[in-house]
Amino acid sequence: MARDPKHDILFEPIQIGPKTLRNRFYQVPHCIGAGSDRPGFQAAHRSMKAEGGWAAMNTEYCSIHPESDDTMRLSARIWDEGDVRNLRAMTDEVHKYGALAGIEMWYGGAHAPCLETRSTPRGPSQYASEFETLSYCKEMDLDDIKMVQQYYVDAAYRARDAGFDIVYVYGAHSYLPLQFLNPYYNKRTDGYGGSLENRARFWVETLEKVRRAVGDDCAIATRFAIDTIYGPGQIEAEEDGIKFVEMADDFVDMWDITIGDIAEWGEDAGPSRFYQQGHTVPWVEHVKRVSKKPVLGVGRYTDPEKMTEIVTKGVVDIIGAARPSIADPFLPKKIEEGRYDDIRVCLGCNVCISRWEIGGPPMICTQNATAGEEYRRGWHPEKFAKAGSEDSILVVGAGPSGSEAARVLMERGYTVHLYDKAEKIGGHLNQVVTLPGLGEWGYHRDYRETQLNKLVKKNKHNVLALGQKALTADDVLEYGAEKVIIATGSSWNTDGVNCLTHEAIPGADASQPEQLTPEQVLSGEKKIGKRVVILNADSYFMAPSLAEKLAVEGHEVTIVSGVHLGNYMHFTLEYPNMMRRLHELHIEEIGDHFCSRIEKNRLEIYNLWGDGSKRSYRGPGVSPRDENKTHRWLEFDSLVLVTGRKSDNALYKELKAREAEWEANGIKGIYLIGDAEAPRLIADATFTGQRIAREIEEENPQYPLPYKRETIAWGTPHMPGGNFQIEYKL
């Protein structure tokens, strides 16, 4: 199928300085947990997108000097010749597909804590980072300014030698050049502070020096936060933002425009809970009015209609993307070939980002289980090894893990029956997407549903058996499949078992009319009273999401939380706006408290630190002296138990207990995946389905095959330039 001609504009080449983008699809810098320490991972992940049609691939932020060390997070580095060798693996692979490679040169100031190097970062003025902990910078004198500018020049030379086509001076997310421009950081009174012209001087001079150094060999780009979203006193698009673009336009070949700062960079990489596709357009559109150079902007663009609109309207020249390129590395090719319904649409859940925020584990993706596995497991998102046997496979459960396992097995050519008592693919996700702001998470289900229907149509032996009665162990044994995958999911505890005490809470019982699990809230099967208490021991989205839903519906909501409420939402960049939303809705949070017992329409809560900081509550009356100080009763009309989840694995346990009957029934193996094995993130559940489908021929596919590790061997000779990294060949 050919693409719609109205999308032809997306495939026009764009000139950026001495380089040419083959189309308008551009993977902006984004973190994956590879850096220059894992060159195989870096090269394989970026080049996969080059194969998929993206015109340019960039590194993550790339430190130019040990003074810009972001450990414990993992950045790329271009400090020495060892880094040049390792990063060349990426540029070589990207170039094989006719794409350009870019490097985002980064100096962090006080936002680089230097926990590994123990160096002292420098900044325009001395301040404490609002993002890091106990991180200050030294105020630069004029010699310092010249020295740091030379760091950029030296790094640009190394980047050129590593084969990079595009060299960034990175000034978004409150890093160094923006710190000079932004009066929030810059309190200087000399020629580098005060007026806009003075505050812009460091950045413009640095761009000029980098251009003189490598401008004939590389395109010069800058990433600029045109609005820090804090209003007067910082950078605003229609004030200092567009004025700086005018001042620096002659020194760049391309503008990469963002918004926000580092403390709340979720305003830029907006989670779908709060921001729709293209949410940055009102700020980005200012740049084209004053710049003569190509402009790109991000906004989680996955829809070719929206992409075409912003290009034809002159908002941007180039479609910048990070998360959509992770969810579908082949998005440009699919648009080019008119395969629109094969696009894996980014959910905007920001689980990819969460890994960098945690501190640098390899990136993962909820929608694309192969992301991060291209090198170490050799997985390709669009290519699958042919079936290694003629075994038929029964997958029980069509949630995230089961639907993914069935899809990949069908892609490989196996005969698969996907069986579920629900009438729709998706499992618990079908309830989750009804929570406020989470509708776009349904793209996960929709992609698999579309592909499974295609695969069933392609092979008449494949079956989607939905809306069926629940299978018993006898049913499975007699089904006739050679291999069985159990993906029956998990459910919320009805008795209050939690991570704090590992015990049921006395009186917790979701069979009572006034107590509910999250599933019961979302199904609407019980009437919910006016005063609602949510008892929380879960650290992701469920408790705050239910609180928002119920408050919007008119209930008075209190959250009693024994763990950091929504803690994982810090990592997905949802936390600030989620907390603002709870505040707007007058939802009360009683933190550092948990429940000792529940009675009719009331629960006894206690301060976690009130009884000598004991690890778990040992029952009422432990310490009469503290009882009145730390224990109190809280009344409710309805109580929601968000205390923990348990695997729904009864079917698997019974089948496992009857293993002696497998052979007589022609069964070679029965395996457990997803939440049925252990409750987890949707991304991790999906991964288990992908993995077992790729490894189903192994001796025991229940357990993963080892993957390639990129390590530094003890005793490796010291390489020139001070880098101990070994050489990698793909």
Side-chain angles (χ1 to χ4, degrees), residues 150-439:
Q150 189 62 38
Y151 291 167
Y152 281 97
V153 171
D154 293 342
Y157 281 129
R158 289 192 290 270
R160 181 195 61 187
D161 294 345
F164 286 101
D165 306 287
I166 306 167
V167 175
Y168 272 77
V169 175
Y170 177 23
H173 306 118
S174 297
Y175 292 128
L176 185 62
L178 191 70
Q179 292 168 22
F180 270 93
L181 189 68
N182 190 346
Y184 174 69
Y185 297 102
N186 187 343
K187 310 300 182 184
R188 303 175 72 96
T189 58
D190 63 3
Y192 289 90
S195 69
L196 174 62
E197 182 180 9
N198 284 354
R199 287 183 280 116
R201 191 181 309 280
F202 176 90
W203 202 336
V204 171
E205 287 179 349
T206 304
L207 286 167
E208 187 175 11
K209 290 179 179 182
V210 170
R211 176 178 280 286
R212 280 203 306 265
V214 299
D216 292 336
D217 301 315
C218 305
I220 308 301
T222 203
R223 203 173 201 190
F224 173 40
I226 194 167
D227 201 307
T228 54
I229 320 295
Y230 286 105
Q234 294 205 35
I235 305 300
E236 295 182 276
E238 295 182 77
E239 298 296 332
D240 289 357
I242 57 174
K243 291 175 184 176
F244 175 73
V245 171
E246 291 177 304
M247 296 170 68
D249 203 43
D250 290 340
F251 302 100
V252 303
D253 297 313
M254 182 184 72
W255 289 97
D256 181 343
I257 301 300
T258 71
I259 61 172
D261 70 342
I262 189 60
E264 290 195 28
W265 68 286
E267 299 304 298
D268 182 41
S272 59
R273 178 189 293 272
F274 299 110
Y275 296 110
Q276 294 182 335
Q277 179 180 194
H279 77 284
T280 63
V281 164
W283 294 277
V284 176
E285 64 185 357
H286 292 290
V287 183
K288 285 292 292 176
R289 297 173 188 164
V290 297
S291 174
K292 302 181 294 291
K293 303 299 174 62
V295 174
L296 72 86
V298 296
R300 197 165 46 85
Y301 295 111
T302 59
D303 179 4
E305 297 292 319
K306 185 67 175 179
M307 297 178 195
T308 301
E309 176 189 341
I310 63 171
V311 171
T312 55
K313 287 185 175 180
V315 176
V316 297
D317 302 291
I318 302 165
I319 304 297
R323 293 167 293 170
S325 74
I326 300 167
D328 200 333
F330 280 70
L331 186 150
K333 273 193 179 295
K334 290 175 181 178
I335 295 173
E336 185 174 25
E337 296 168 1
R339 297 190 293 122
Y340 302 107
D341 60 354
D342 289 336
I343 295 172
R344 277 187 303 277
V345 178
C346 172
L347 315 184
C349 64
N350 283 5
V351 163
C352 54
I353 289 167
S354 74
R355 290 312 209 240
W356 177 81
E357 285 281 351
I358 285 170
M363 175 201 64
I364 63 174
C365 176
T366 304
Q367 183 72 298
N368 175 17
T370 70
E373 307 297 342
E374 301 90 350
Y375 176 76
R376 66 177 189 171
R377 285 189 163 90
W379 290 359
H380 192 290
E382 306 295 322
K383 297 177 183 177
F384 307 90
K386 295 301 180 186
S389 72
E390 295 185 357
D391 292 338
S392 62
I393 301 172
L394 170 65
V395 180
V396 184
S401 63
S403 61
E404 180 74 345
R407 179 185 74 87
V408 176
L409 287 164
M410 289 183 190
E411 290 276 14
R412 297 190 60 198
Y414 279 100
T415 296
V416 181
H417 287 205
L418 178 59
Y419 194 104
D420 201 304
K421 61 185 179 181
E423 295 183 356
K424 188 173 180 63
I425 286 167
H428 78 288
L429 191 55
N430 289 323
Q431 284 194 326
V432 168
V433 298
T434 67
L435 287 165
L438 299 190

Side-chain angles (χ1 to χ4, degrees), residues 1-13 22-23 25 304-305 308 331-340:
M1 179 187 297
R3 69 172 179 263
D4 190 319
K6 66 185 175 183
H7 300 145
D8 288 351
I9 194 171
L10 301 176
F11 295 90
E12 294 176 349
R22 62 185 176 185
N23 59 42
F25 295 94
E305 297 292 319
T308 301
L331 186 150
K333 273 193 179 295
K334 290 175 181 178
I335 295 173
E336 185 174 25
E337 296 168 1
R339 297 190 293 122
Y340 302 107

